[in-house]
Amino acid sequence: MDRGSAARPAPLPSGDVTFMFTDIEGSTRLASGLGAERYRVVLHRHRALVREVLRAAGGTEIDTEGDSFFVAFHTAADACAAAIGIQTALRGADWPDHDGQHLRPKVRIGLHTGEAWPSAGGYATPEVHRTARICSAAHGDQILASAECATAAGLPPAAVYRLGDFELRGLPGATELVQLAAPGLPTAFPPPPVRPLTHHLPADLKSPVPRPEEYRALDRAFTTHRLVSLTGLGGSGKTTVAKAWARRRLAFHEHGVWYCRAGADLGTALLHALGRRPELFRPALDTAADRLREADALLVLDDLDRTHAADVERLLHDCPRISVLAVGARPLELPGEAKRALGLAPDDVSAAILAGYCEERGAPWTAADCRPLAAAVEGFVPALTALAEVTALGSPGVALRYLSDDPVAALDGGGRFRAAVDETVAAISGPARAVLLELAARSGGATVDAVLDLCRQRDGSLEALVELVDVALVVIERPAMDQAVYRVPAPLRWLLTGTAPALAEAPAPPERPRPAVATRLADRLVHPVNLDGARLRAVA
């Protein structure tokens, strides 16, 4: 009788049952990368460790297929303890190496508690499907559970990270998911990929000042182009404009708007924004391209430079329905790229921006108070940033007098404005530097013909002018439909020539000696161009 009882299988859990699903993240790629024999070693070691924990925790193995387990528990507490035990055992075990990479399989685990009754040696209930969907939503090394499971297990708050409500495919309603935490286990994971996220735009700490003209310009550019670059000096507000415009575009892209700072690895940064993790044995950009291959999405890629150009071109080629707003100091110079340099802000916008800076510093100045100062710097946002401290600590009037007395000192109090200009000028060509300094001597700017004449029509003159416009060191004004005037914004002219604002509208005679401060600055910015000789020439 005892022998018969021992041989009889234990009854399956019933009533409030906690289910567990586990599988190895990226198992197919892992198997193909290792080969059959080495993958078999990893898989068998994984199975032995999981089963050892399940036996100790009292879990009943319902099914095993490939690298996955389906298990039932009488109590949620036992299931949660088993999940933590599995992850701990896997992390503590010895695993073989492959080309310097540790081959520990990254297992994802899903838990859910619900009413269920066994039938024909298994379960036929939606709660099983819900558990499987929860497991699919987890990342490798992560334990996801329904809120019902966490509540039934009586887990303390420190052991649970609440992630929010998610829609699980094929199941009605929303499921609140939590992540289990335990000493020695990782806690930082991307968001679960099951909820259709619409964007990855960072939340603003305060509402940005609207710049409708810039938004309309970007809208027009994207009607005919998939790649648009937004360029400008440091501190000009490129990121603020890009994010504010992108929020307005959420309704136009079925598969979302995704923002990221490129960093050293654009693929990894983009995967983080998309809520995906890099795959073993595969470049991150390949994984990102697969995710976006059929997506109608907008990518806002910030802090780009020309080292990222090949990656951006690859994304546009492999993902025919995506659009890219490339934000950086300079355009990427890719085929089909539309360029938009962030220009001078209108007086009302620039005054509101300066008033916002003052508000951040506790000063009471309104946009109306700041309007004369904003107009004096022509809405050049980096100059507004440079004047923010003295405006907040004194007043807009004090800052305006300070600016008139010594523009270079007023703009360069903290060194940020000069540094932004230096960085941009250092990156442009010799001909572009020469054209910049020629135009800086002319407060009214010059036409294309005048620029060519100033540079004696040397080869590369027009390219130099285009280069200056691309990096927002020169702005284009159109007094008539068939005319264009190219002009250096007033704050840049003051920095380059040392001319006070009150004298800015009076062109300097060609042979008039430059102030010492301007000579030192220009020598540093454009060396080896000779500023004291004859008219500047475009240096090849």
Side-chain angles (χ1 to χ4, degrees), residues 191-212:
V194 287
R195 181 170 55 182
L197 301 175
T198 59
H199 68 85
H200 193 259
L201 294 168
D204 294 315
L205 297 181
K206 70 170 188 176
S207 298
V209 176
R211 299 186 65 172

Short mmCIF file of all heavy atoms in Angstrom, two decimals, residues 191-212:
data_model
loop_
_atom_site.label_atom_id
_atom_site.label_comp_id
_atom_site.label_asym_id
_atom_site.label_seq_id
_atom_site.Cartn_x
_atom_site.Cartn_y
_atom_site.Cartn_z
N PRO A 191 11.63 48.99 -20.43
CA PRO A 191 10.19 48.75 -20.22
C PRO A 191 9.75 47.47 -20.91
O PRO A 191 10.31 47.09 -21.94
CB PRO A 191 9.52 49.98 -20.85
CG PRO A 191 10.59 51.01 -20.92
CD PRO A 191 11.88 50.27 -21.10
N PRO A 192 8.75 46.79 -20.38
CA PRO A 192 8.23 45.60 -21.07
C PRO A 192 7.74 45.98 -22.47
O PRO A 192 7.08 47.01 -22.64
CB PRO A 192 7.05 45.15 -20.18
CG PRO A 192 7.37 45.72 -18.83
CD PRO A 192 8.07 47.02 -19.09
N PRO A 193 8.07 45.18 -23.47
CA PRO A 193 7.73 45.54 -24.85
C PRO A 193 6.30 45.21 -25.24
O PRO A 193 5.94 45.35 -26.40
CB PRO A 193 8.72 44.69 -25.66
CG PRO A 193 8.95 43.49 -24.82
CD PRO A 193 8.90 43.96 -23.39
N VAL A 194 5.45 44.79 -24.30
CA VAL A 194 4.13 44.34 -24.69
C VAL A 194 3.14 45.49 -24.87
O VAL A 194 2.23 45.40 -25.67
CB VAL A 194 3.56 43.35 -23.65
CG1 VAL A 194 4.26 42.02 -23.76
CG2 VAL A 194 3.68 43.91 -22.25
N ARG A 195 3.29 46.55 -24.10
CA ARG A 195 2.37 47.68 -24.27
C ARG A 195 2.83 48.49 -25.47
O ARG A 195 4.01 48.84 -25.57
CB ARG A 195 2.35 48.56 -23.02
CG ARG A 195 1.39 49.73 -23.14
CD ARG A 195 1.21 50.45 -21.82
NE ARG A 195 2.46 50.90 -21.25
CZ ARG A 195 2.54 51.53 -20.08
NH1 ARG A 195 1.47 51.73 -19.36
NH2 ARG A 195 3.72 51.91 -19.62
N PRO A 196 1.93 48.84 -26.38
CA PRO A 196 2.35 49.62 -27.56
C PRO A 196 2.72 51.04 -27.15
O PRO A 196 1.88 51.93 -27.13
CB PRO A 196 1.12 49.58 -28.48
CG PRO A 196 -0.04 49.34 -27.55
CD PRO A 196 0.49 48.50 -26.43
N LEU A 197 3.98 51.25 -26.82
CA LEU A 197 4.44 52.58 -26.45
C LEU A 197 4.37 53.50 -27.66
O LEU A 197 4.60 53.08 -28.79
CB LEU A 197 5.88 52.52 -25.94
CG LEU A 197 6.14 51.63 -24.72
CD1 LEU A 197 7.62 51.58 -24.41
CD2 LEU A 197 5.37 52.14 -23.52
N THR A 198 4.04 54.76 -27.43
CA THR A 198 3.92 55.70 -28.54
C THR A 198 5.12 56.60 -28.68
O THR A 198 5.29 57.24 -29.71
CB THR A 198 2.65 56.56 -28.37
OG1 THR A 198 2.74 57.27 -27.12
CG2 THR A 198 1.41 55.71 -28.40
N HIS A 199 5.96 56.71 -27.66
CA HIS A 199 7.12 57.57 -27.78
C HIS A 199 8.09 57.30 -26.64
O HIS A 199 7.78 56.62 -25.67
CB HIS A 199 6.71 59.05 -27.78
CG HIS A 199 6.17 59.54 -26.47
ND1 HIS A 199 6.99 59.99 -25.45
CD2 HIS A 199 4.91 59.64 -26.01
CE1 HIS A 199 6.25 60.35 -24.42
NE2 HIS A 199 4.98 60.15 -24.73
N HIS A 200 9.29 57.84 -26.81
CA HIS A 200 10.29 57.79 -25.75
C HIS A 200 10.85 59.20 -25.55
O HIS A 200 12.03 59.39 -25.33
CB HIS A 200 11.42 56.82 -26.14
CG HIS A 200 12.33 56.48 -25.00
ND1 HIS A 200 13.57 57.05 -24.85
CD2 HIS A 200 12.18 55.65 -23.94
CE1 HIS A 200 14.16 56.58 -23.76
NE2 HIS A 200 13.34 55.74 -23.20
N LEU A 201 9.96 60.19 -25.63
CA LEU A 201 10.37 61.57 -25.45
C LEU A 201 10.46 61.88 -23.97
O LEU A 201 9.50 61.63 -23.22
CB LEU A 201 9.35 62.52 -26.11
CG LEU A 201 9.26 62.42 -27.63
CD1 LEU A 201 8.03 63.16 -28.13
CD2 LEU A 201 10.51 62.98 -28.27
N PRO A 202 11.58 62.41 -23.50
CA PRO A 202 11.70 62.72 -22.08
C PRO A 202 10.67 63.75 -21.65
O PRO A 202 10.31 64.66 -22.41
CB PRO A 202 13.13 63.31 -21.96
CG PRO A 202 13.83 62.87 -23.20
CD PRO A 202 12.79 62.74 -24.26
N ALA A 203 10.16 63.60 -20.45
CA ALA A 203 9.19 64.56 -19.92
C ALA A 203 9.89 65.89 -19.65
O ALA A 203 10.99 65.94 -19.10
CB ALA A 203 8.55 64.03 -18.64
N ASP A 204 9.25 66.99 -20.05
CA ASP A 204 9.80 68.31 -19.81
C ASP A 204 9.55 68.73 -18.37
O ASP A 204 8.47 68.51 -17.82
CB ASP A 204 9.17 69.34 -20.75
CG ASP A 204 9.53 69.10 -22.21
OD1 ASP A 204 10.72 68.85 -22.46
OD2 ASP A 204 8.63 69.16 -23.05
N LEU A 205 10.56 69.34 -17.74
CA LEU A 205 10.38 69.87 -16.40
C LEU A 205 9.51 71.12 -16.42
O LEU A 205 8.85 71.45 -15.43
CB LEU A 205 11.74 70.19 -15.76
CG LEU A 205 12.66 68.98 -15.56
CD1 LEU A 205 13.96 69.41 -14.91
CD2 LEU A 205 11.97 67.92 -14.70
N LYS A 206 9.52 71.83 -17.53
CA LYS A 206 8.60 72.95 -17.72
C LYS A 206 8.27 73.04 -19.20
O LYS A 206 9.02 72.54 -20.05
CB LYS A 206 9.22 74.26 -17.23
CG LYS A 206 10.37 74.77 -18.06
CD LYS A 206 10.76 76.17 -17.65
CE LYS A 206 11.79 76.76 -18.61
NZ LYS A 206 12.12 78.15 -18.28
N SER A 207 7.15 73.66 -19.51
CA SER A 207 6.73 73.76 -20.91
C SER A 207 7.69 74.66 -21.68
O SER A 207 7.99 75.77 -21.23
CB SER A 207 5.31 74.32 -20.99
OG SER A 207 4.40 73.46 -20.34
N PRO A 208 8.17 74.21 -22.83
CA PRO A 208 9.08 75.05 -23.62
C PRO A 208 8.33 76.21 -24.26
O PRO A 208 7.11 76.14 -24.48
CB PRO A 208 9.62 74.09 -24.68
CG PRO A 208 8.54 73.06 -24.83
CD PRO A 208 7.92 72.90 -23.47
N VAL A 209 9.06 77.27 -24.55
CA VAL A 209 8.46 78.40 -25.27
C VAL A 209 8.19 77.95 -26.70
O VAL A 209 9.10 77.48 -27.39
CB VAL A 209 9.41 79.62 -25.26
CG1 VAL A 209 8.83 80.75 -26.11
CG2 VAL A 209 9.65 80.09 -23.83
N PRO A 210 6.95 78.04 -27.16
CA PRO A 210 6.65 77.58 -28.53
C PRO A 210 7.43 78.38 -29.57
O PRO A 210 7.62 79.59 -29.44
CB PRO A 210 5.15 77.83 -28.66
CG PRO A 210 4.64 77.92 -27.26
CD PRO A 210 5.75 78.52 -26.46
N ARG A 211 7.87 77.68 -30.61
CA ARG A 211 8.56 78.33 -31.73
C ARG A 211 7.88 77.88 -33.02
O ARG A 211 8.38 77.05 -33.78
CB ARG A 211 10.05 78.00 -31.73
CG ARG A 211 10.74 78.47 -30.46
CD ARG A 211 12.23 78.30 -30.45
NE ARG A 211 12.90 79.11 -31.46
CZ ARG A 211 14.22 79.24 -31.54
NH1 ARG A 211 15.00 78.62 -30.65
NH2 ARG A 211 14.78 79.97 -32.48
N PRO A 212 6.68 78.41 -33.28
CA PRO A 212 5.86 77.91 -34.39
C PRO A 212 6.52 78.01 -35.75
O PRO A 212 6.28 77.17 -36.61
CB PRO A 212 4.59 78.77 -34.30
CG PRO A 212 4.97 79.97 -33.48
CD PRO A 212 6.02 79.50 -32.53
#
